[in-house]
Structures are given as C-alpha cells and as structure tokens.
Amino acid sequence: MSNFVGDIQMSNGLTDVFFNVLVLSGSALARTDSERRLVVWLAEKDQSRMGYGAIGFDLFEIPWALDTFEVDKNFLLQAVAAARNRLNWEKLDYHPNEDALFPCLDQFAKLISGIDIDKIQPNSLEEWLAEADASDPVMCGFPMCPKHQALLSVFGCHICNN
Ligand SMILES: [Zn+2]
C-alpha cells in the first residue's frame, strides 16, 4: 500500500518518515499562525489515525490562506529545504533512509514551487477550520509535543504516533 502526494508515490513507511521530517522542520521554522496552521495540517496526515494508505492529497487541497499565499508557499519551501538539511533529526529515534526520502522531498519542493494562486481551492482554509472544534490545536494556541518540539494536530504528535 502507498500514498500519493501530488504525483509522488510513497510506501506507507516512507510516508510516515516524509511527514515526520516535515513536521519537525516546519514546527521549528513556523513564525506566524498561518505557517503553524500549514504544519498542523501536514501533521494531520497521520496514518496511525487516518488509516494506512489513506492520507494522500493534491497540492491544491492544502488550506492556503489567499492573502499570505506567497509568504506561506515560501515558508513550506524553506521547511522542505530544512528537512533535507536534517533539521532536528536528532529528535527522531531512527535515521531516515535518505536515498528514499530526499528524492520525494525534492519532488515535493518542485510541486510547491509550481503551484499558482489561481489553481488553489479558495475555500479550503475556511472549510478546514470550520471542522475544527474549540479543543483543536489550530484553535487553542498551537500546543507542541515537549519531547519532539513538534506542533500537535487533533491526533496528537505525528512523531510520537509514528
Ligand atoms: Zn512527540
């Protein structure tokens, strides 16, 4: 079984690693609520809770904020680059297989670079937030896992869970 992120196909195991490293780097770099929201959204791609092989997405589904789109896009590119530079990997209890992971990160960066504001779903942010209840991390100050310094999603810590 596998997941597709855009046209990137990853095994279930590689998918866990891919989101582990992005949540780690994104959590370390996020400075605005809009950036934190994107990391939390990525952290919700949690196979342990959503089901294995069940968390693929297309890039236009990302809940982009229209008014900060370019800044947020740039942030995600920085998060991918930082993941490639192994930011906070010492917090993982394993070492990712770089030969498998890095091509996926490179492809993801290319997909993000290519996404255009008129290709995104304009209401995806509002729709996603409308589903969040008051205890959801995006609604209550973006708590972090003390062990991994990772932003939590409604499912908890992506790295603890996977
Ligand atoms: Zn954790």
Side-chain angles (χ1 to χ4, degrees):
M1 286 209 300
S2 60
N3 296 282
F4 279 93
V5 171
D7 57 5
I8 310 168
Q9 186 176 12
M10 293 181 283
S11 70
N12 290 341
L14 181 56
T15 301
D16 285 341
V17 177
F18 180 85
F19 288 101
N20 269 187
V21 300
L22 282 179
V23 169
L24 271 183
S25 66
S27 297
L29 296 179
R31 292 290 172 267
T32 67
D33 284 356
S34 188
E35 292 169 354
R36 290 185 186 101
R37 272 198 294 264
L38 287 175
V39 178
V40 173
W41 189 81
L42 290 174
E44 284 184 2
K45 306 298 160 196
D46 189 330
Q47 296 189 101
S48 71
R49 305 304 151 100
M50 299 281 287
Y52 286 86
I55 55 109
F57 62 88
D58 278 309
L59 271 80
F60 62 80
E61 296 172 45
I62 295 174
W64 301 102
L66 292 178
D67 49 351
T68 52
F69 174 70
E70 290 299 335
V71 177
D72 292 344
K73 179 173 144 176
N74 205 39
F75 161 74
L76 266 194
L77 288 172
Q78 286 172 5
V80 176
R84 218 185 181 297
N85 286 325
R86 308 173 187 86
L87 182 64
N88 285 354
W89 280 20
E90 67 277 5
K91 296 185 191 303
L92 299 171
D93 59 6
Y94 65 96
H95 192 87
N97 177 345
E98 297 178 5
D99 291 340
L101 176 64
F102 283 176
C104 295
L105 290 176
D106 292 344
Q107 222 175 326
F108 189 53
K110 203 184 281 184
L111 289 175
I112 295 168
S113 300
I115 194 163
D116 196 79
I117 193 160
D118 56 4
K119 286 192 204 122
I120 67 179
Q121 285 177 357
N123 297 322
S124 56
L125 176 60
E126 287 72 15
E127 284 168 12
W128 177 53
L129 292 177
E131 287 170 13
D133 67 26
S135 64
D136 192 297
V138 292
M139 296 299 181
C140 62
F142 299 100
M144 292 184 106
C145 170
K147 185 173 172 205
H148 295 112
Q149 298 302 308
L151 287 160
L152 303 181
S153 79
V154 68
F155 303 125
C157 171
H158 193 284
I159 295 127
C160 287
N161 292 345
N162 296 283

